[in-house]
Amino acid sequence: MDKPLILITGGSQGIGAATALLAAQKGYNICFSYHSQEQLAQELAVRLESLGAKTHFVRADVSVEADVLNLFSETDKHFGRLDALINNAGILRQKLVRDIEVKELEKLFGINVIGSFICAREAIKRMAFSQGGKGGAIVNISSIASRMGSPFEYVDYAATKGAIDSFTLGLAKEVIGEGIRVNAVRPGIIATDLHAKGGEPGRIERLKSAVPMQRAGTAEEVAQAVLWLLSDDSSYTTGHLLDVGGGR
Ligand code: NAP
């Protein structure tokens, strides 16, 4: 029998890549998207294949509907099944609310929120019992920023993750009868390039003493939570927001 197939958005690095590697170790095949880092995507695919996972990767901007439709049709073509979606792709950059421009807000919400909605819609079409699917699981990558608000850093980003929390709670109930479980993982400060890209390479050093565990988390620690929520070990869990924040 074929291995189950996980689709991960933004798999080229950080939490997405760590999740892909753990999923491959746990016996899944992987389709993942990247946005700009083709070289990293190629390197990751080689590692996933060496772990025994049939792998395919596709360039996609998740905020562009045509890209998402292509990502899912590539998945159909290469694997012919879909068992789980991880809505992981995300961006941020630091800015005070008083300085935010509408174009920046549209881009941020387009990637972090609308992209997750479009991907979930396409996944439901393939997984829902009423559409001939076999059920499945969706994990949205939110953030503890959704409950902290992230003042003086990125209130806009925190608001996108607040939207993802509501999306998770509502969608979980909407598709519960379709055999699809929907949960979110809310990471705290995780050691990835996201902070440097957002404008503060030293953010972890500055903030780690504010974390009860006194350190940043790793992408691998987040991946463990994601994989649990995807697995049958969490078969009675849906509509849950799981914090992976070192006690923060
Ligand atoms: P990362 O290392 O910067 O990775 C971000 C991923 O998103 C990359 O694979 C990137 O692709 C992809 N991406 C960027 N723009 C995209 C677009 N328009 N369309 C599709 N994909 C796009 O960040 P990360 O830390 O792993 O973050 C992953 C998720 O965790 C995000 O949703 C983030 O908000 C969330 N999170 C992170 C932290 C943290 O402390 N790191 C905390 C809480 C939540 P390319 O590399 O190919 O461009």
Side-chain angles (χ1 to χ4, degrees), residues 40-202:
L40 291 182
Q42 269 166 3
E43 288 165 12
L44 177 67
V46 170
R47 291 179 70 191
L48 296 174
E49 295 273 0
S50 76
L51 290 166
K54 184 180 167 194
T55 304
H56 184 61
F57 60 93
V58 180
R59 201 209 75 82
D61 179 339
V62 292
S63 66
V64 175
E65 186 175 19
D67 282 12
V68 174
L69 294 180
N70 180 55
L71 171 62
F72 277 82
S73 81
E74 284 281 311
T75 307
D76 295 341
K77 205 162 62 192
H78 281 80
F79 299 94
R81 64 184 289 170
L82 180 65
D83 300 278
L85 166 70
I86 305 171
N87 270 322
N88 168 74
I91 60 163
L92 58 75
R93 49 115 207 62
Q94 294 192 355
K95 205 162 218 188
L96 298 177
V97 173
R98 68 172 182 230
D99 298 327
I100 288 173
E101 288 168 20
V102 170
K103 271 209 160 47
E104 296 170 326
L105 271 183
E106 287 172 347
K107 181 177 176 192
L108 184 70
F109 277 78
I111 296 169
N112 291 10
V113 181
I114 294 173
S116 295
F117 271 81
I118 312 173
C119 289
R121 183 191 72 193
E122 293 307 308
I124 291 163
K125 284 182 193 167
R126 288 156 175 84
M127 298 195 298
F129 289 157
S130 64
Q131 311 288 308
K134 294 189 166 61
I138 297 174
V139 173
N140 297 320
I141 306 300
S142 177
S143 169
I144 66 166
S146 68
R147 60 172 165 73
M148 309 212 36
S150 305
F152 306 106
E153 291 195 308
Y154 27 64
V155 173
D156 52 354
Y157 169 79
T160 67
K161 297 304 187 179
I164 291 299
D165 288 359
S166 300
F167 172 50
T168 303
L169 298 174
L171 181 62
K173 292 185 176 76
E174 198 166 296
V175 297
I176 207 160
E178 297 281 6
I180 303 171
R181 294 184 300 108
V182 184
N183 293 286
V185 170
R186 301 198 297 190
I189 301 172
I190 307 301
T192 71
D193 287 348
L194 187 72
H195 309 284
K197 290 181 205 165
E200 189 183 358

